[in-house]
């Protein structure tokens, strides 16, 4: 295929407000691309919204398109080969969106779904855990408890929440750089209520957001989480080997999940060598399909839980990849209402009763709806 044009979109909800903490991109907006082939077939791609602010992300996408994709003849291995020789971290971060778009075009040319391009023998359905539980310090816990109970009623595999956020509601980048402290007693009290509410058999998880700071507090928390039979603890420490050495001094054994930040296979090999994670959480907005397959070949299906937190293009990219696998993996489902969900038509590919069934559509099975009545600011640039 030969690439003729790219359209870069920036979508932002006008006057977005919430009384609860929300993902940064809900208010800030997000960027996605459409690559267009010489046959006028369009392919969607969505980079992670946490790479850079939208203005800078658009500039980076423009540079990468002009240098590596404009008027180039491409096959579906083009991005994989490009990333293998890349020594540029920003390029590594953005290439998966182009990979998504190229697979979308190629599968539409073949009149198949992306999952069928990846593997002709697809899995029939997928399992998800509900990912929610965002609230401010001092807010009523009852809403979060109800959210967990609803997730159980809807037959999700489990429910994941976050500890209460400071009321100044730091951005994602600020929280990663300077994680706020934890109110350990508050988490302990909530954990007891949560386990009582959902019963002993339903899986519960917590995303600690890199907020553990010392051995004493971490040991106390881990023992409490083990007592309440948490399925996994996500990102207890900052994303650096130095901080994870705390695990070597704690005897409590509990499943640790991490790796959503990993954006190339070499990073995965380094983290896997340390044996800190029981579960890795890759995402197709930072890792190529081929790279996640390499991860699975190295550690097995049972140690992969797909990170899946962003918008509809990324969601459909992730589930198409998951449908293409030989065995089921667990997948995150963001259950916090997303202001951009109705911008896209996803051909009724929705999670229902904690599952999604395979539907053979072309590409990802996604298009843009008529967005005039959705109170959105829409920027579009064509190169």
């Amino acid at each position: 295929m030969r690439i003729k044009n790219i359209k870069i979109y920036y979508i932002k909800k006008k006057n977005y407000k919430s009384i609860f903490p929300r993902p940064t991109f809900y208010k800030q907006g997000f960027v996605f691309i459409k690559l267009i082939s010489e046959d006028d077939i369009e392919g969607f791609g969505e980079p992670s919204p946490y790479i850079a602010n939208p203005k800078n992300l658009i500039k980076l996408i423009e540079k990468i398109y002009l240098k590596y994709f404009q008027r180039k003849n491409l096959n579906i291995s083009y991005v994989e080969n490009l990333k293998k020789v890349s020594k540029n971290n920003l390029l590594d971060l953005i290439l998966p969106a182009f990979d998504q778009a190229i697979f979308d075009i190629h599968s539409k040319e073949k009149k198949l779904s992306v999952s069928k391009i990846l593997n002709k023998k697809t899995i029939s359905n997928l399992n998800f855990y509900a990912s929610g539980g965002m609230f401010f310090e001092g807010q009523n816990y009852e809403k979060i408890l109800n959210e967990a109970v609803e997730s159980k009623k809807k037959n999700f595999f489990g429910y994941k929440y976050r500890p209460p956020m400071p009321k100044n509601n730091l951005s994602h980048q600020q929280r990663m750089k300077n994680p706020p402290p934890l109110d350990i007693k508050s988490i302990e009290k909530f954990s007891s209520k949560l386990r009582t509410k959902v019963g002993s058999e339903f899986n519960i998880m917590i995303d600690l957001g890199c907020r553990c700071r010392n051995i004493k507090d971490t040991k106390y928390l881990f023992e409490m989480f083990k007592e309440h039979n948490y399925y996994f603890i996500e990102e207890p420490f900052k994303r650096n080997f130095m901080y994870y050495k705390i695990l070597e001094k704690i005897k409590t054994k509990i499943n640790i999940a991490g790796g959503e930040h990993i954006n190339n296979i070499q990073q995965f090999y380094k983290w896997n060598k340390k044996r800190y994670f029981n579960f890795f959480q890759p995402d197709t907005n930072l890792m190529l399909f081929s790279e996640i397959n390499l991860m699975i070949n190295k550690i097995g299906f049972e140690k992969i839980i797909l990170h899946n937190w962003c918008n509809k293009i990324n969601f459909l990219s992730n589930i198409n990849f998951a449908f293409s696998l030989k065995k089921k993996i667990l997948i995150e489902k963001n259950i916090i209402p997303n202001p951009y969900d109705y911008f896209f038509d996803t051909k009724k590919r929705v999670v229902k009763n904690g599952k999604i069934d395979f539907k053979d559509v072309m590409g990802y099975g996604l298009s843009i709806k008529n967005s005039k009545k959705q109170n959105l600011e829409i920027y579009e640039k064509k190169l």
Side-chain angles (χ1 to χ4, degrees):
M1 74 182 76
R2 188 174 176 87
I3 300 302
K4 180 176 69 173
N5 299 111
I6 186 174
K7 288 183 180 179
I8 306 171
Y9 292 85
Y10 169 46
I11 313 298
K12 183 180 179 183
K13 189 75 172 178
K14 296 178 183 177
N15 305 314
Y16 179 79
K17 293 180 181 179
S18 174
I19 62 170
F20 298 98
R22 290 295 179 249
T24 304
F25 63 88
Y26 278 22
K27 184 174 183 178
Q28 185 173 267
F30 79 103
V31 174
F32 69 92
I33 65 171
K34 279 199 297 187
L35 286 184
I36 304 165
S37 74
E38 284 196 333
D39 296 322
D40 289 321
I41 299 174
E42 298 178 335
F44 288 90
E46 181 188 337
S48 169
Y50 299 120
I51 294 170
N53 66 53
K55 184 178 180 180
N56 289 336
L57 185 54
I58 289 168
K59 289 179 180 178
L60 289 167
I61 290 169
E62 287 180 22
K63 289 180 181 179
I64 288 170
Y65 170 74
L66 293 172
K67 184 172 183 179
Y68 296 104
F69 293 91
Q70 186 180 47
R71 301 293 176 184
K72 294 286 177 68
N73 281 312
L74 311 178
N75 57 34
I76 57 173
S77 299
Y78 178 80
V79 175
E80 179 183 356
N81 293 332
L82 182 58
K83 198 171 181 184
K84 281 180 180 177
V85 298
S86 167
K87 294 182 180 179
N88 183 325
N89 191 54
L90 282 174
L91 179 63
D92 286 353
L93 289 166
I94 294 172
L95 280 178
F98 284 89
D99 198 46
Q100 291 172 349
I102 289 168
F103 269 91
D104 196 17
I105 292 172
H106 182 73
S107 59
K108 287 171 181 173
E109 288 176 342
K110 301 292 185 181
K111 298 187 179 345
L112 294 170
S113 65
V114 171
S115 52
K116 284 277 181 83
I117 292 295
L118 291 167
N119 185 358
K120 291 181 179 179
K121 295 181 179 180
T122 56
I123 292 171
S124 60
N125 60 67
L126 303 173
N127 293 333
F128 294 82
Y129 76 86
S131 182
M134 295 184 74
F135 58 121
F136 286 121
E137 292 170 347
Q139 287 185 317
N140 194 319
Y141 281 64
E142 200 63 32
K143 182 183 184 299
I144 309 302
L145 292 171
N146 291 338
E147 193 176 78
V149 171
E150 281 300 307
S151 299
K152 181 181 178 182
K153 287 180 180 178
K154 291 178 179 178
N155 294 314
F156 280 98
F157 173 85
Y159 173 76
K160 184 176 79 180
Y161 71 98
R162 284 87 177 154
M165 303 280 190
K167 291 183 179 179
N168 58 358
N169 196 21
L170 303 173
S171 71
H172 178 79
Q173 285 84 0
Q174 289 169 328
R175 291 195 301 269
M176 290 300 101
K177 187 175 181 180
N178 294 300
L182 292 168
D183 184 339
I184 294 173
K185 292 297 181 182
S186 175
I187 297 171
E188 182 177 30
K189 186 176 179 180
F190 177 72
S191 291
S192 181
K193 287 183 178 180
L194 177 61
R195 180 49 80 195
T196 300
K197 274 277 189 181
V198 299
S200 60
E201 300 301 318
F202 187 62
N203 293 301
I204 55 175
M205 310 87 152
I206 186 169
D207 182 349
L208 288 173
C210 311
R211 294 169 68 176
C212 288
R213 295 187 172 192
N214 58 62
I215 295 172
K216 181 182 176 182
D217 290 347
T218 302
K219 181 176 176 59
Y220 186 91
L221 275 172
F222 279 26
E223 288 177 354
M224 183 272 293
F225 291 141
K226 187 173 181 62
E227 178 185 345
H228 292 299
N229 194 26
Y230 274 64
Y231 187 70
F232 66 70
I233 311 305
E234 183 174 333
E235 290 200 319
F237 314 108
K238 283 188 176 183
R239 297 165 175 176
N240 186 299
F241 296 144
M242 176 180 70
Y243 296 100
Y244 274 83
K245 287 183 178 180
I246 290 177
L247 291 176
E248 298 169 10
K249 300 178 182 180
I250 296 174
K251 302 298 181 183
T252 307
K253 298 295 182 182
I254 193 162
N255 288 330
I256 305 294
E260 68 182 60
H261 65 288
I262 292 174
N263 62 72
N264 63 56
I265 196 65
Q266 289 77 24
Q267 289 177 11
F268 160 71
Y269 290 141
K270 289 177 182 177
W271 277 97
N272 187 50
K273 189 176 181 180
K274 296 291 184 179
R275 299 287 188 257
Y276 291 138
F277 298 149
N278 303 97
F279 299 117
F280 277 86
Q281 300 170 297
D283 194 321
T284 64
N285 65 7
L286 287 179
M287 298 283 283
L288 308 183
F289 299 133
S290 58
E291 290 179 306
I292 303 177
N293 271 320
L294 288 174
M295 294 174 70
I296 292 170
N297 291 339
K298 181 72 175 177
I299 62 176
F301 291 88
E302 67 280 0
K303 292 188 176 182
I304 297 289
I305 299 177
L306 206 57
H307 181 261
N308 189 33
W309 183 246
C310 296
N311 300 288
K312 287 296 186 182
I313 299 170
N314 188 230
F315 170 75
L316 290 173
S317 170
N318 279 326
I319 68 164
N320 270 270
F321 172 75
F323 273 127
S324 76
L325 300 175
K326 295 177 182 178
K327 295 181 182 179
K328 286 184 182 179
I329 58 174
L330 187 58
I331 306 170
E332 180 178 25
K333 174 64 176 71
N334 180 1
I335 61 171
I336 298 171
N338 186 322
Y340 308 109
D341 275 356
Y342 298 103
F343 181 76
F344 297 103
D345 182 354
T346 59
K347 313 297 182 189
K348 297 183 179 180
R349 278 198 162 186
V350 296
V351 177
K352 188 175 181 179
N353 294 323
K355 295 183 182 297
I356 190 168
D357 295 324
F358 179 79
K359 289 181 174 62
D360 199 7
V361 297
M362 288 196 296
Y364 295 118
L366 174 133
S367 59
I368 297 175
K369 284 184 179 179
N370 184 335
S371 55
K372 291 181 180 179
K373 297 181 180 180
Q374 295 186 37
N375 197 33
L376 297 171
E377 296 176 18
I378 302 172
Y379 167 88
E380 177 184 338
K381 185 170 185 178
K382 184 177 180 178
L383 298 175

